Protein backbone atom coordinates (compact mmCIF):
# COMPACT_ATOMS: atom_id res chain seq x y z
CA UNK A 1 0.00 0.00 0.00
CA UNK A 2 1.29 3.49 -0.86
CA UNK A 3 0.08 6.68 0.75
CA UNK A 4 0.24 9.87 -1.28
CA UNK A 5 -0.07 13.06 0.74
CA UNK A 6 -1.12 16.09 -1.26
CA UNK A 7 -0.34 19.60 -0.06
CA UNK A 8 -3.96 20.82 -0.18
CA UNK A 9 -7.47 19.91 -1.24
CA UNK A 10 -6.84 21.64 -4.56
CA UNK A 11 -3.35 20.29 -5.28
CA UNK A 12 -3.87 19.25 -8.88
CA UNK A 13 -0.15 19.47 -9.77
CA UNK A 14 0.71 17.22 -6.81
CA UNK A 15 -1.96 14.69 -7.77
CA UNK A 16 -0.85 14.75 -11.44
CA UNK A 17 2.87 14.20 -10.65
CA UNK A 18 2.13 11.40 -8.21
CA UNK A 19 -0.49 9.74 -10.43
CA UNK A 20 1.80 9.81 -13.46
CA UNK A 21 4.64 8.19 -11.53
CA UNK A 22 2.31 5.58 -10.02
CA UNK A 23 0.89 4.61 -13.42
CA UNK A 24 4.42 4.23 -14.80
CA UNK A 25 5.32 2.07 -11.80
CA UNK A 26 2.26 -0.09 -12.52
CA UNK A 27 0.71 0.61 -9.09
CA UNK A 28 -2.89 -0.60 -8.95
CA UNK A 29 -5.58 1.88 -7.84
CA UNK A 30 -6.50 -0.42 -4.93
CA UNK A 31 -2.92 -0.13 -3.62
CA UNK A 32 -2.92 3.67 -3.22
CA UNK A 33 -4.32 5.79 -0.38
CA UNK A 34 -4.74 9.50 -1.13
CA UNK A 35 -4.56 12.08 1.62
CA UNK A 36 -4.33 15.82 2.07
CA UNK A 37 -1.75 17.28 4.51
CA UNK A 38 -4.26 18.73 7.01
CA UNK A 39 -6.49 15.72 7.06
CA UNK A 40 -3.71 13.15 6.94
CA UNK A 41 -3.42 11.36 10.27
CA UNK A 42 0.16 10.81 11.35
CA UNK A 43 -0.80 7.48 12.82
CA UNK A 44 -0.45 4.37 10.71
CA UNK A 45 1.36 6.21 7.88
CA UNK A 46 3.29 3.61 5.91
CA UNK A 47 5.69 4.95 3.37
CA UNK A 48 4.17 8.48 3.47
CA UNK A 49 5.19 9.45 -0.05
CA UNK A 50 4.53 13.03 -1.11
CA UNK A 51 4.51 13.87 -4.79
CA UNK A 52 7.37 16.27 -4.17
CA UNK A 53 9.53 13.58 -2.54
CA UNK A 54 9.04 11.28 -5.48
CA UNK A 55 11.81 11.66 -8.06
CA UNK A 56 10.23 12.98 -11.22
CA UNK A 57 10.38 10.37 -13.90
CA UNK A 58 11.73 11.43 -17.28
CA UNK A 59 9.44 8.84 -18.85
CA UNK A 60 5.93 10.11 -19.33
CA UNK A 61 2.77 9.40 -21.33
CA UNK A 62 0.02 11.39 -22.96
CA UNK A 63 -3.57 11.60 -21.81
CA UNK A 64 -6.44 13.18 -23.74
CA UNK A 65 -6.84 16.94 -23.12
CA UNK A 66 -10.50 16.19 -22.31
CA UNK A 67 -9.44 14.11 -19.32
CA UNK A 68 -7.10 16.85 -18.08
CA UNK A 69 -9.89 19.44 -18.35
CA UNK A 70 -12.35 17.32 -16.40
CA UNK A 71 -9.72 16.26 -13.84
CA UNK A 72 -8.72 19.87 -13.12
CA UNK A 73 -12.26 20.72 -12.04
CA UNK A 74 -13.28 17.32 -10.61
CA UNK A 75 -10.34 17.51 -8.20
CA UNK A 76 -12.07 20.50 -6.57
CA UNK A 77 -15.08 18.33 -5.66
CA UNK A 78 -15.63 17.72 -1.95
CA UNK A 79 -15.92 13.94 -2.37
CA UNK A 80 -12.96 12.45 -0.42
CA UNK A 81 -12.74 9.68 -3.02
CA UNK A 82 -12.07 12.06 -5.90
CA UNK A 83 -8.27 11.53 -6.03
CA UNK A 84 -8.77 7.76 -6.06
CA UNK A 85 -11.54 7.90 -8.68
CA UNK A 86 -9.38 10.09 -10.92
CA UNK A 87 -6.41 7.78 -10.49
CA UNK A 88 -8.55 4.75 -11.35
CA UNK A 89 -9.78 6.49 -14.50
CA UNK A 90 -6.24 7.56 -15.40
CA UNK A 91 -5.02 3.94 -15.15
CA UNK A 92 -7.86 2.82 -17.38
CA UNK A 93 -7.17 5.60 -19.90
CA UNK A 94 -3.51 4.56 -19.96
CA UNK A 95 -4.70 1.14 -21.15
CA UNK A 96 -7.48 2.50 -23.39
CA UNK A 97 -6.81 6.08 -24.63
CA UNK A 98 -10.32 6.35 -26.16
CA UNK A 99 -12.11 5.66 -22.90
CA UNK A 100 -13.09 9.32 -22.38
CA UNK A 101 -15.36 9.01 -25.45
CA UNK A 102 -17.47 6.40 -23.65
CA UNK A 103 -19.95 8.64 -21.85
CA UNK A 104 -21.75 5.61 -20.36
CA UNK A 105 -18.61 4.35 -18.60
CA UNK A 106 -19.16 4.62 -14.85
CA UNK A 107 -15.82 6.28 -14.04
CA UNK A 108 -16.07 8.70 -16.98
CA UNK A 109 -19.61 9.64 -15.92
CA UNK A 110 -18.53 10.03 -12.27
CA UNK A 111 -15.71 12.40 -13.17
CA UNK A 112 -17.89 14.38 -15.56
CA UNK A 113 -20.60 14.72 -12.90
CA UNK A 114 -18.06 15.92 -10.33
CA UNK A 115 -16.71 18.43 -12.81
CA UNK A 116 -20.23 19.69 -13.57
CA UNK A 117 -21.05 20.06 -9.88
CA UNK A 118 -17.87 22.10 -9.39
CA UNK A 119 -18.72 24.40 -12.33
CA UNK A 120 -22.22 24.87 -10.94
CA UNK A 121 -20.77 25.79 -7.55
CA UNK A 122 -18.39 28.27 -9.20
CA UNK A 123 -21.34 29.82 -10.97
CA UNK A 124 -23.18 30.17 -7.64
CA UNK A 125 -20.14 31.77 -6.06
CA UNK A 126 -19.84 34.29 -8.91
CA UNK A 127 -23.52 35.12 -8.63
CA UNK A 128 -24.00 35.17 -4.86
CA UNK A 129 -20.86 36.59 -3.28
CA UNK A 130 -21.80 40.03 -1.89
CA UNK A 131 -19.08 42.30 -0.56
CA UNK A 132 -19.67 44.54 2.44
CA UNK A 133 -17.57 47.62 2.93
CA UNK A 134 -15.62 47.68 6.17
CA UNK A 135 -14.00 50.89 7.42
CA UNK A 136 -13.72 54.12 5.50
CA UNK A 137 -11.48 55.25 2.68
CA UNK A 138 -8.53 55.12 2.33
CA UNK A 139 -8.49 52.18 4.75
CA UNK A 140 -11.65 50.47 3.60
CA UNK A 141 -11.90 46.87 2.58
CA UNK A 142 -14.67 44.84 1.01
CA UNK A 143 -15.44 41.61 2.76
CA UNK A 144 -17.74 38.77 1.83
CA UNK A 145 -18.71 35.51 3.42
CA UNK A 146 -19.48 32.45 1.33
CA UNK A 147 -20.01 28.75 2.01
CA UNK A 148 -18.97 26.83 -1.10
CA UNK A 149 -20.13 23.29 -1.68
CA UNK A 150 -16.72 22.37 -3.15
CA UNK A 151 -13.11 23.53 -2.97
CA UNK A 152 -13.61 26.30 -5.51
CA UNK A 153 -12.36 29.45 -3.79
CA UNK A 154 -8.83 29.52 -5.24
CA UNK A 155 -10.03 28.61 -8.72
CA UNK A 156 -12.81 31.22 -8.68
CA UNK A 157 -10.95 34.12 -7.09
CA UNK A 158 -9.26 35.27 -10.36
CA UNK A 159 -12.79 36.07 -11.56
CA UNK A 160 -13.28 38.42 -8.57
CA UNK A 161 -9.80 39.86 -9.04
CA UNK A 162 -10.70 40.83 -12.60
CA UNK A 163 -14.16 42.07 -11.83
CA UNK A 164 -13.26 44.00 -8.67
CA UNK A 165 -9.70 44.90 -9.64
CA UNK A 166 -9.96 48.38 -8.08
CA UNK A 167 -11.16 47.24 -4.64
CA UNK A 168 -9.20 45.52 -1.88
CA UNK A 169 -11.36 42.57 -0.97
CA UNK A 170 -11.49 39.41 1.08
CA UNK A 171 -13.74 36.42 0.60
CA UNK A 172 -14.00 34.39 3.78
CA UNK A 173 -15.14 30.80 3.70
CA UNK A 174 -14.90 27.90 6.13
CA UNK A 175 -12.31 26.21 3.82
CA UNK A 176 -9.92 29.02 2.89
CA UNK A 177 -9.98 32.81 2.61
CA UNK A 178 -8.98 34.71 -0.53
CA UNK A 179 -7.53 38.23 -0.23
CA UNK A 180 -6.96 40.66 -3.12
CA UNK A 181 -4.62 43.63 -2.59
CA UNK A 182 -4.90 45.04 -6.09
CA UNK A 183 -1.94 43.03 -7.36
CA UNK A 184 -2.36 39.41 -6.30
CA UNK A 185 -4.64 36.97 -4.57
CA UNK A 186 -3.39 35.42 -1.31
CA UNK A 187 -4.99 32.32 0.15
CA UNK A 188 -5.11 31.80 3.93
CA UNK A 189 -6.86 29.17 6.08
CA UNK A 190 -10.63 29.21 6.45
CA UNK A 191 -12.48 30.92 9.28
CA UNK A 192 -15.49 30.50 11.46
CA UNK A 193 -18.84 31.90 10.34
CA UNK A 194 -18.84 34.40 13.23
CA UNK A 195 -15.99 36.33 11.53
CA UNK A 196 -18.36 37.42 8.77
CA UNK A 197 -19.26 41.11 8.95
CA UNK A 198 -22.89 42.05 9.40
CA UNK A 199 -23.93 45.65 8.69
CA UNK A 200 -22.32 48.37 6.61
CA UNK A 201 -22.83 50.92 3.90
CA UNK A 202 -22.39 48.56 1.00
CA UNK A 203 -25.20 46.46 2.34
CA UNK A 204 -27.56 49.43 2.10
CA UNK A 205 -26.39 50.16 -1.43
CA UNK A 206 -26.90 46.58 -2.44
CA UNK A 207 -30.34 46.47 -0.82
CA UNK A 208 -31.58 49.49 -2.71
CA UNK A 209 -30.03 48.23 -5.93
CA UNK A 210 -31.67 44.86 -5.47
CA UNK A 211 -35.05 46.45 -4.70
CA UNK A 212 -34.73 48.59 -7.82
CA UNK A 213 -34.06 45.63 -10.13
CA UNK A 214 -36.74 43.47 -8.51
CA UNK A 215 -39.57 43.40 -11.05
CA UNK A 216 -42.75 41.93 -9.57
CA UNK A 217 -44.26 41.43 -13.02
CA UNK A 218 -41.48 38.94 -13.66
CA UNK A 219 -41.70 37.20 -10.34
CA UNK A 220 -40.89 33.52 -10.57
CA UNK A 221 -40.59 32.19 -7.08
CA UNK A 222 -39.80 28.62 -8.11
CA UNK A 223 -37.10 29.66 -10.57
CA UNK A 224 -35.69 32.06 -7.98
CA UNK A 225 -35.48 29.33 -5.39
CA UNK A 226 -33.91 26.95 -7.88
CA UNK A 227 -31.28 29.53 -8.83
CA UNK A 228 -30.73 30.81 -5.33
CA UNK A 229 -31.08 27.79 -3.04
CA UNK A 230 -32.22 28.62 0.49
CA UNK A 231 -28.81 27.74 1.95
CA UNK A 232 -27.35 30.83 0.21
CA UNK A 233 -30.14 33.14 1.36
CA UNK A 234 -28.89 33.69 4.86
CA UNK A 235 -25.62 35.19 3.56
CA UNK A 236 -27.33 37.57 1.14
CA UNK A 237 -28.23 41.00 2.46
CA UNK A 238 -31.09 41.15 -0.05
CA UNK A 239 -32.58 37.88 1.24
CA UNK A 240 -34.48 39.80 3.88
CA UNK A 241 -36.11 41.80 1.08
CA UNK A 242 -37.31 38.76 -0.81
CA UNK A 243 -40.25 37.79 1.40
CA UNK A 244 -41.67 41.34 1.66
CA UNK A 245 -41.11 41.93 -2.06
CA UNK A 246 -42.88 38.68 -2.87
CA UNK A 247 -45.71 39.55 -0.51
CA UNK A 248 -45.98 43.00 -2.06
CA UNK A 249 -45.76 41.77 -5.63
CA UNK A 250 -49.50 41.26 -6.25
CA UNK A 251 -50.04 44.79 -5.06
CA UNK A 252 -47.10 46.12 -7.14
CA UNK A 253 -48.29 44.46 -10.34
CA UNK A 254 -51.74 46.00 -9.80
CA UNK A 255 -50.09 49.37 -9.16
CA UNK A 256 -48.04 49.06 -12.34
CA UNK A 257 -51.14 48.28 -14.36
CA UNK A 258 -52.99 51.19 -12.77
CA UNK A 259 -50.05 53.52 -13.55
CA UNK A 260 -50.06 52.35 -17.09
CA UNK A 261 -53.79 53.01 -17.41
CA UNK A 262 -53.55 56.60 -16.15
CA UNK A 263 -50.63 57.14 -18.53
CA UNK A 264 -52.75 55.73 -21.34
CA UNK A 265 -49.81 53.39 -21.97
CA UNK A 266 -50.32 49.69 -22.59
CA UNK A 267 -50.38 47.66 -19.39
CA UNK A 268 -47.14 45.75 -18.82
CA UNK A 269 -47.65 42.11 -19.51
CA UNK A 270 -46.79 39.34 -17.18
CA UNK A 271 -44.33 37.18 -19.02
CA UNK A 272 -44.74 33.47 -19.20
CA UNK A 273 -42.55 31.75 -16.65
CA UNK A 274 -39.47 30.19 -18.22
CA UNK A 275 -39.75 26.57 -19.16
CA UNK A 276 -39.96 24.45 -16.08
CA UNK A 277 -38.86 20.84 -15.74
CA UNK A 278 -42.39 19.74 -16.63
CA UNK A 279 -41.96 21.25 -20.09
CA UNK A 280 -38.63 19.61 -20.67
CA UNK A 281 -38.21 17.29 -23.56
CA UNK A 282 -35.25 14.98 -24.15
CA UNK A 283 -31.76 15.89 -25.39
CA UNK A 284 -31.75 18.50 -28.17
CA UNK A 285 -34.52 20.33 -26.36
CA UNK A 286 -34.09 23.94 -25.37
CA UNK A 287 -33.68 22.89 -21.74
CA UNK A 288 -30.90 20.42 -22.62
CA UNK A 289 -29.21 23.16 -24.68
CA UNK A 290 -29.57 25.64 -21.83
CA UNK A 291 -27.88 23.18 -19.41
CA UNK A 292 -25.08 22.56 -21.88
CA UNK A 293 -24.58 26.27 -22.56
CA UNK A 294 -24.26 26.99 -18.84
CA UNK A 295 -20.73 25.56 -19.04
CA UNK A 296 -19.79 27.10 -22.40
CA UNK A 297 -16.10 27.96 -22.66
CA UNK A 298 -16.02 28.50 -26.44
CA UNK A 299 -14.60 32.02 -26.06
CA UNK A 300 -13.06 33.89 -23.12
CA UNK A 301 -16.20 35.93 -22.31
CA UNK A 302 -17.44 33.36 -19.75
CA UNK A 303 -14.56 34.22 -17.43
CA UNK A 304 -15.82 37.67 -16.43
CA UNK A 305 -19.55 37.19 -16.94
CA UNK A 306 -21.75 36.10 -14.05
CA UNK A 307 -23.46 33.41 -16.06
CA UNK A 308 -24.55 32.27 -19.51
CA UNK A 309 -27.74 34.09 -20.45
CA UNK A 310 -29.58 31.65 -22.66
CA UNK A 311 -32.72 32.36 -24.69
CA UNK A 312 -36.16 31.97 -23.20
CA UNK A 313 -39.71 31.66 -24.37
CA UNK A 314 -42.10 28.93 -25.45
CA UNK A 315 -40.67 26.10 -27.51
CA UNK A 316 -43.70 26.46 -29.80
CA UNK A 317 -42.82 30.11 -30.58
CA UNK A 318 -43.38 31.08 -34.23
CA UNK A 319 -41.28 34.21 -33.74
CA UNK A 320 -37.70 34.32 -32.50
CA UNK A 321 -35.99 37.61 -31.64
CA UNK A 322 -32.21 37.84 -31.49
CA UNK A 323 -30.36 40.64 -29.71
CA UNK A 324 -26.64 41.29 -29.44
CA UNK A 325 -25.56 40.11 -25.99
CA UNK A 326 -26.88 40.36 -22.41
CA UNK A 327 -26.32 43.67 -20.66
CA UNK A 328 -25.51 44.34 -17.01
CA UNK A 329 -29.02 43.56 -15.71
CA UNK A 330 -29.41 40.49 -17.92
CA UNK A 331 -26.03 39.17 -16.74
CA UNK A 332 -27.19 39.39 -13.12
CA UNK A 333 -30.72 38.12 -13.74
CA UNK A 334 -29.73 35.33 -16.15
CA UNK A 335 -32.51 36.34 -18.57
CA UNK A 336 -32.39 38.18 -21.91
CA UNK A 337 -33.83 41.68 -22.36
CA UNK A 338 -34.89 42.45 -18.80
CA UNK A 339 -33.04 45.80 -18.55
CA UNK A 340 -33.68 49.18 -20.24
CA UNK A 341 -33.42 47.81 -23.81
CA UNK A 342 -35.88 45.06 -22.81
CA UNK A 343 -38.37 47.67 -21.62
CA UNK A 344 -38.31 49.42 -25.00
CA UNK A 345 -38.62 46.09 -26.74
CA UNK A 346 -41.62 45.12 -24.59
CA UNK A 347 -43.36 48.41 -25.35
CA UNK A 348 -42.70 48.26 -29.10
CA UNK A 349 -43.83 44.63 -29.33
CA UNK A 350 -47.05 45.51 -27.57
CA UNK A 351 -47.65 48.44 -29.93
CA UNK A 352 -47.02 46.17 -32.91
CA UNK A 353 -49.60 43.73 -31.56
CA UNK A 354 -47.10 41.00 -30.62
CA UNK A 355 -47.45 39.19 -27.33
CA UNK A 356 -43.92 38.82 -25.89
CA UNK A 357 -45.05 35.76 -23.98
CA UNK A 358 -45.30 33.99 -27.33
CA UNK A 359 -41.86 35.04 -28.55
CA UNK A 360 -38.60 33.14 -28.04
CA UNK A 361 -36.05 35.84 -27.14
CA UNK A 362 -32.33 35.24 -27.26
CA UNK A 363 -28.98 36.88 -28.04
CA UNK A 364 -26.27 36.28 -30.65
CA UNK A 365 -23.66 36.19 -27.84
CA UNK A 366 -24.66 34.58 -24.56
CA UNK A 367 -22.17 36.17 -22.16
CA UNK A 368 -21.94 39.82 -21.10
CA UNK A 369 -18.82 41.55 -22.43
CA UNK A 370 -17.78 44.64 -20.50
CA UNK A 371 -14.93 46.70 -19.10
CA UNK A 372 -15.10 47.64 -15.41
CA UNK A 373 -15.12 51.40 -14.69
CA UNK A 374 -15.18 51.69 -10.92
CA UNK A 375 -18.36 50.01 -9.84
CA UNK A 376 -19.92 50.27 -13.30
CA UNK A 377 -19.57 47.67 -16.02
CA UNK A 378 -19.40 49.29 -19.43
CA UNK A 379 -20.84 47.29 -22.32
CA UNK A 380 -18.35 46.26 -25.03
CA UNK A 381 -19.38 45.11 -28.48
CA UNK A 382 -18.52 41.44 -29.05
CA UNK A 383 -15.92 40.85 -31.76
CA UNK A 384 -16.25 38.52 -34.74
CA UNK A 385 -14.48 35.59 -33.12
CA UNK A 386 -16.74 35.78 -30.04
CA UNK A 387 -19.75 35.99 -32.33
CA UNK A 388 -18.60 32.97 -34.31
CA UNK A 389 -17.83 30.98 -31.17
CA UNK A 390 -21.36 31.60 -29.94
CA UNK A 391 -23.21 31.12 -33.25
CA UNK A 392 -23.71 27.35 -32.83
CA UNK A 393 -25.92 28.10 -29.80
CA UNK A 394 -28.14 30.37 -31.88
CA UNK A 395 -28.26 27.75 -34.66
CA UNK A 396 -29.20 25.00 -32.21
CA UNK A 397 -31.86 27.19 -30.59
CA UNK A 398 -33.29 27.96 -34.02
CA UNK A 399 -33.23 24.27 -34.98
CA UNK A 400 -35.06 23.38 -31.77
CA UNK A 401 -37.70 26.11 -32.05
CA UNK A 402 -38.09 26.17 -35.87
CA UNK A 403 -39.66 29.65 -35.95
CA UNK A 404 -41.44 31.02 -39.02
CA UNK A 405 -39.61 34.30 -38.57
CA UNK A 406 -36.36 35.40 -36.91
CA UNK A 407 -36.10 39.10 -36.12
CA UNK A 408 -32.49 40.27 -35.84
CA UNK A 409 -32.11 43.31 -33.60
CA UNK A 410 -29.04 45.21 -34.81
CA UNK A 411 -25.89 44.37 -36.74
CA UNK A 412 -24.44 41.72 -34.42
CA UNK A 413 -27.70 39.77 -34.47
CA UNK A 414 -27.99 40.17 -38.26
CA UNK A 415 -24.47 38.75 -38.65
CA UNK A 416 -25.38 35.73 -36.57
CA UNK A 417 -28.78 35.13 -38.18
CA UNK A 418 -27.55 35.49 -41.79
CA UNK A 419 -24.10 34.02 -41.20
CA UNK A 420 -22.31 37.05 -42.67
CA UNK A 421 -21.88 40.75 -41.91
CA UNK A 422 -25.12 42.40 -43.11
CA UNK A 423 -25.66 46.16 -42.86
CA UNK A 424 -28.83 47.02 -40.96
CA UNK A 425 -29.96 50.14 -42.80
CA UNK A 426 -29.68 48.68 -46.28
CA UNK A 427 -31.59 45.56 -45.28
CA UNK A 428 -34.05 46.51 -42.54
CA UNK A 429 -37.75 45.99 -42.83
CA UNK A 430 -37.72 43.40 -45.67
CA UNK A 431 -38.27 39.69 -45.41
CA UNK A 432 -35.23 37.57 -46.24
CA UNK A 433 -35.56 33.85 -47.02
CA UNK A 434 -33.24 31.70 -44.90
CA UNK A 435 -31.45 28.66 -46.37
CA UNK A 436 -32.41 26.63 -43.33
CA UNK A 437 -36.12 27.47 -43.76
CA UNK A 438 -38.22 30.31 -42.43
CA UNK A 439 -37.53 33.99 -42.94
CA UNK A 440 -35.56 36.75 -41.28
CA UNK A 441 -36.29 40.41 -40.72
CA UNK A 442 -33.59 42.87 -39.74
CA UNK A 443 -34.25 45.97 -37.68
CA UNK A 444 -32.34 48.20 -35.28
CA UNK A 445 -31.37 47.24 -31.76
CA UNK A 446 -33.54 48.86 -29.05
CA UNK A 447 -30.38 50.23 -27.36
CA UNK A 448 -29.81 52.33 -30.47
CA UNK A 449 -33.08 54.10 -29.66
CA UNK A 450 -31.89 54.72 -26.10
CA UNK A 451 -28.66 56.29 -27.33
CA UNK A 452 -30.23 58.77 -29.79
CA UNK A 453 -29.36 62.26 -28.56
CA UNK A 454 -32.49 64.28 -29.45
CA UNK A 455 -36.10 63.69 -28.62
CA UNK A 456 -37.36 64.13 -32.17
CA UNK A 457 -35.02 61.46 -33.51
CA UNK A 458 -36.04 59.18 -30.67
CA UNK A 459 -39.73 59.49 -31.52
CA UNK A 460 -39.13 59.05 -35.26
CA UNK A 461 -36.80 56.06 -34.90
CA UNK A 462 -39.01 54.40 -32.33
CA UNK A 463 -41.94 54.63 -34.77
CA UNK A 464 -39.80 53.04 -37.50
CA UNK A 465 -38.85 50.28 -35.10
CA UNK A 466 -42.53 49.60 -34.34
CA UNK A 467 -43.24 49.63 -38.11
CA UNK A 468 -40.64 46.88 -38.59
CA UNK A 469 -42.23 44.86 -35.83
CA UNK A 470 -45.63 45.32 -37.47
CA UNK A 471 -44.18 43.56 -40.54
CA UNK A 472 -43.21 40.71 -38.20
CA UNK A 473 -46.73 40.67 -36.75
CA UNK A 474 -48.11 40.42 -40.30
CA UNK A 475 -45.97 37.34 -41.03
CA UNK A 476 -47.25 35.70 -37.86
CA UNK A 477 -50.85 36.48 -38.73
CA UNK A 478 -50.40 35.13 -42.29
CA UNK A 479 -48.85 31.93 -40.89
CA UNK A 480 -51.76 31.57 -38.45
CA UNK A 481 -54.32 32.10 -41.23
CA UNK A 482 -52.63 29.62 -43.60
N1 LIG B 1 -29.17 43.99 -25.26
C1 LIG B 1 -29.22 42.82 -25.93
O1 LIG B 1 -28.84 42.73 -27.08
N2 LIG B 1 -29.69 41.77 -25.31
C2 LIG B 1 -30.13 41.80 -24.07
O2 LIG B 1 -30.54 40.75 -23.57
C3 LIG B 1 -30.10 43.03 -23.39
C4 LIG B 1 -29.61 44.11 -24.00
Amino acid sequence: MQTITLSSDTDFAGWRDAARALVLDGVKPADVTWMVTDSAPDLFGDDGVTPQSRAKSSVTFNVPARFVDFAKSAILHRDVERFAILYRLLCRIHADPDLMQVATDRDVALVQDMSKAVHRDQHKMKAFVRFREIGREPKNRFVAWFEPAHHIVEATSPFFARRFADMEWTIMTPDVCAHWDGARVRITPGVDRTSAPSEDRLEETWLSYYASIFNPARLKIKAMQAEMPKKYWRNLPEAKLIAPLIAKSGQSVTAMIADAATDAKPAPQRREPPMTKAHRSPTGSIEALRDEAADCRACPLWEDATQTVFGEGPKTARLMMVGEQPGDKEDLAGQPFVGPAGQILDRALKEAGIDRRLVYVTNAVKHFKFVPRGKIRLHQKPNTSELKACRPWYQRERDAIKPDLVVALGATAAHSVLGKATPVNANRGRLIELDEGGRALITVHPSYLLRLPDKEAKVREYARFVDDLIIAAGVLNDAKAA
Side-chain angles (χ1 to χ4, degrees):
M1 178 64 74
Q2 295 210 32
T3 299
I4 304 294
T5 307
L6 301 174
S7 67
S8 74
D9 273 309
T10 57
D11 183 10
F12 177 75
W15 175 85
R16 185 198 51 208
D17 290 350
R20 190 187 286 146
L22 291 165
V23 169
L24 290 171
D25 286 352
V27 180
K28 293 200 189 83
D31 294 338
V32 189
T33 301
W34 296 89
M35 288 186 164
V36 174
T37 309
D38 286 347
S39 62
D42 290 325
L43 304 172
F44 313 124
D46 32 16
D47 64 353
V49 182
T50 66
Q52 293 72 24
S53 69
R54 183 174 275 280
K56 273 198 189 159
S57 167
S58 55
V59 189
T60 185
F61 61 94
N62 289 328
V63 288
R66 195 172 150 73
F67 170 76
V68 179
D69 282 349
F70 278 118
K72 275 184 178 163
S73 46
I75 213 150
L76 308 181
H77 199 279
R78 206 172 283 279
D79 187 337
V80 289
E81 293 299 321
R82 64 197 185 281
F83 304 117
I85 294 169
L86 283 166
Y87 181 57
R88 190 169 70 217
L89 181 56
L90 181 67
C91 290
R92 295 184 56 213
I93 285 175
H94 188 229
D96 173 6
D98 292 331
L99 186 62
M100 280 306 284
Q101 314 294 347
V102 186
T104 50
D105 181 88
R106 196 168 157 268
D107 286 338
V108 172
L110 261 175
V111 167
Q112 288 187 353
D113 284 352
M114 286 195 292
S115 160
K116 258 197 181 164
V118 165
H119 282 144
R120 229 175 285 126
D121 198 32
Q122 288 190 285
H123 159 66
K124 301 279 184 217
M125 182 171 174
K126 289 177 187 177
F128 300 139
V129 159
R130 301 279 181 268
F131 289 103
R132 291 166 176 168
E133 192 174 5
I134 305 293
R136 298 210 168 248
E137 287 181 47
K139 287 218 166 301
N140 58 343
R141 182 159 201 99
F142 293 86
V143 179
W145 173 261
F146 187 71
E147 289 169 35
H150 302 291
H151 299 287
I152 56 163
V153 178
E154 286 152 277
T156 320
S157 42
F159 166 86
F160 292 97
R162 284 191 301 274
R163 177 172 291 183
F164 301 109
D166 302 344
M167 303 170 11
E168 295 207 352
W169 53 254
T170 289
I171 301 173
M172 300 189 291
T173 87
D175 299 325
V176 290
C177 297
H179 314 268
W180 170 251
D181 59 9
R184 68 186 188 109
V185 175
R186 259 179 327 110
I187 301 293
T188 58
V191 289
D192 210 68
R193 187 170 200 285
T194 49
S195 310
S198 50
E199 296 296 324
D200 61 67
R201 285 186 286 135
L202 189 71
E203 181 164 326
E204 283 160 27
T205 313
W206 171 251
L207 288 177
S208 57
Y209 176 61
Y210 184 78
S212 77
I213 60 167
F214 189 95
N215 183 344
R218 297 209 168 104
L219 184 59
K220 296 166 301 189
I221 299 169
K222 281 228 171 79
M224 216 162 98
Q225 283 171 343
E227 259 309 298
M228 192 194 285
K230 279 255 169 62
K231 72 171 189 153
Y232 295 100
W233 285 33
R234 67 193 161 103
N235 298 324
L236 294 182
E238 70 269 28
K240 61 181 168 216
L241 287 182
I242 293 173
L245 285 170
I246 288 173
K248 244 180 58 191
S249 66
Q251 210 182 315
S252 309
V253 173
T254 316
M256 281 166 69
I257 292 168
D259 278 358
T262 44
D263 272 342
K265 276 192 221 131
Q269 291 189 333
R270 198 183 160 91
R271 282 173 46 209
E272 189 168 86
M275 285 172 286
T276 56
K277 286 206 168 135
H279 295 105
R280 285 186 187 186
S281 49
T283 333
S285 69
I286 284 295
E287 274 313 309
L289 290 177
R290 182 198 303 278
D291 283 353
E292 212 185 307
D295 286 332
C296 183
R297 304 285 184 266
C299 79
L301 294 185
W302 68 271
E303 291 178 58
D304 293 338
T306 306
Q307 56 194 310
T308 304
V309 179
F310 207 65
E312 68 175 25
K315 58 181 180 223
T316 51
R318 304 319 317 142
L319 174 61
M320 183 163 173
M321 304 207 88
V322 186
E324 183 195 71
Q325 61 160 346
D328 179 71
K329 295 245 179 355
E330 288 79 11
D331 170 75
L332 295 170
Q335 292 175 271
F337 284 105
V338 292
Q343 282 163 21
I344 297 211
L345 180 63
D346 285 356
R347 200 175 115 210
L349 280 172
K350 177 88 178 163
E351 284 181 30
I354 298 172
D355 185 344
R356 178 166 167 174
R357 292 174 303 179
L358 303 180
V359 181
Y360 184 85
V361 181
T362 192
N363 281 301
V365 170
K366 310 284 195 251
H367 282 114
F368 180 33
K369 180 176 179 183
F370 62 93
V371 282
R373 282 282 173 278
K375 287 180 188 165
I376 301 200
R377 300 188 292 165
L378 285 184
H379 162 278
Q380 296 278 286
K381 193 176 159 60
N383 62 33
T384 308
S385 74
E386 288 148 0
L387 179 68
K388 284 191 175 155
C390 219
R391 191 163 182 259
W393 292 121
Y394 156 69
Q395 291 172 307
R396 292 171 75 188
E397 284 176 295
R398 188 199 57 213
D399 291 349
I401 302 284
K402 297 192 180 52
D404 293 324
L405 181 67
V406 183
V407 173
L409 303 166
T412 305
H415 193 155
S416 187
V417 170
L418 296 170
K420 59 177 189 228
T422 309
V424 173
N425 274 331
N427 294 286
R428 76 181 285 183
R430 67 183 179 86
L431 295 168
I432 302 167
E433 296 294 330
L434 293 172
D435 293 343
E436 58 273 13
R439 288 181 285 179
L441 178 81
I442 298 176
T443 185
V444 293
H445 191 284
S447 300
Y448 158 74
L449 305 172
L450 285 171
R451 286 194 303 267
L452 285 170
D454 69 279
K455 210 170 163 194
E456 220 173 277
K458 266 196 166 75
V459 172
R460 187 186 61 241
E461 287 303 309
Y462 175 76
R464 286 187 71 201
F465 181 53
V466 174
D467 285 347
D468 288 343
L469 296 183
I470 288 172
I471 299 173
V475 174
L476 295 183
N477 288 337
D478 290 351
K480 228 186 273 166

